[in-house]
Amino acid sequence: MSSPTRFEPDQTDLAILNVLQDDLPLVSRPWNSIAKRLGITETGILGRMQRLEEAGIIRGISPVLESRHLGLHAATLVALRVPEERVNEIAAIISSYPEVSHNFRRDHSYSLWFTIAAQDGEGVQRVLHEILDRTGISASDVLDLPTVKKIKIDVRFSFLPAQSGEVPHGSD
């Protein structure tokens, strides 16, 4: 029995992934602008991005929003102790709330972690208490860690050797 072929990104793919972590140029043809920086064609970058998406490496391309400018001034990170047999059920309930932006499982006694954002602390607590009521999770099985100060708002990965400092000119 043969195993499926695993997609291995080449140096040009890795350069594209590095560049996509930057701001998208606000020009009429942003992909053309990025392609020129990488020394490939616009058609080439689009084709590579399609393959990276099909391989599950790119999940999507979307803006990073500043929640405070949208009126969401309060947020909290919540951890729940959840019985193993209820993880999927409770995760689905949590993910049904538009105020929840992340929801992930950890190999820890607090197995589900998620964030809630709302206009104010009262709104955050309303959503959290509603989730606890719907799931039957006890308050003693909750860690509620409100945001006090934003320290880091950006996550980037380096896919090319740090010493290179150059974007390799790739092929389409």
Side-chain angles (χ1 to χ4, degrees):
M1 181 175 180
S2 66
S3 61
T5 305
R6 184 169 180 250
F7 178 79
E8 292 287 337
D10 65 15
Q11 290 294 304
T12 302
D13 293 326
L14 297 176
I16 290 169
L17 294 172
N18 267 356
V19 170
L20 290 178
Q21 296 178 88
D22 295 334
D23 292 331
L24 193 66
L26 295 177
V27 296
S28 60
R29 294 177 56 199
W31 306 120
N32 188 50
S33 175
I34 292 172
K36 283 182 178 176
R37 285 176 46 196
L38 297 173
I40 61 177
T41 65
E42 183 178 32
T43 304
I45 193 171
L46 291 171
R48 285 176 173 272
M49 288 173 55
Q50 179 73 38
R51 286 193 303 270
L52 290 165
E53 185 177 41
E54 289 168 0
I57 295 171
I58 294 176
R59 290 190 313 179
I61 296 175
S62 62
V64 177
L65 304 176
E66 179 54 62
S67 59
R68 290 183 186 270
H69 292 291
L70 295 169
L72 302 173
H73 299 283
T76 192
L77 173 64
V78 179
L80 299 181
R81 281 194 188 111
V82 175
E84 176 67 26
E85 65 275 8
R86 296 193 61 209
V87 166
N88 290 337
E89 168 207 347
I90 292 175
I93 291 170
I94 293 166
S95 294
S96 72
Y97 285 84
E99 296 88 349
V100 172
S101 60
H102 298 79
N103 184 9
F104 51 96
R105 183 179 183 175
R106 288 197 160 171
D107 185 18
H108 188 270
S109 63
Y110 289 94
S111 55
L112 283 180
W113 292 70
F114 56 98
T115 59
I116 301 171
Q119 290 182 336
D120 53 34
E122 187 176 304
V124 167
Q125 290 304 307
R126 179 189 51 75
V127 172
L128 177 56
H129 288 267
E130 191 174 310
I131 288 171
L132 296 179
D133 286 346
R134 286 182 63 193
T135 61
I137 299 292
S138 163
S140 64
D141 291 321
V142 177
L143 289 179
D144 179 9
L145 308 166
T147 300
V148 174
K149 180 179 180 182
K150 188 181 295 183
I151 297 173
K152 182 179 178 182
I153 60 167
D154 195 17
V155 176
R156 292 174 189 263
F157 303 99
S158 179
F159 298 106
L160 296 172
Q163 66 273 21
S164 75
E166 297 178 16
V167 176
H169 283 246
S171 60
D172 293 338

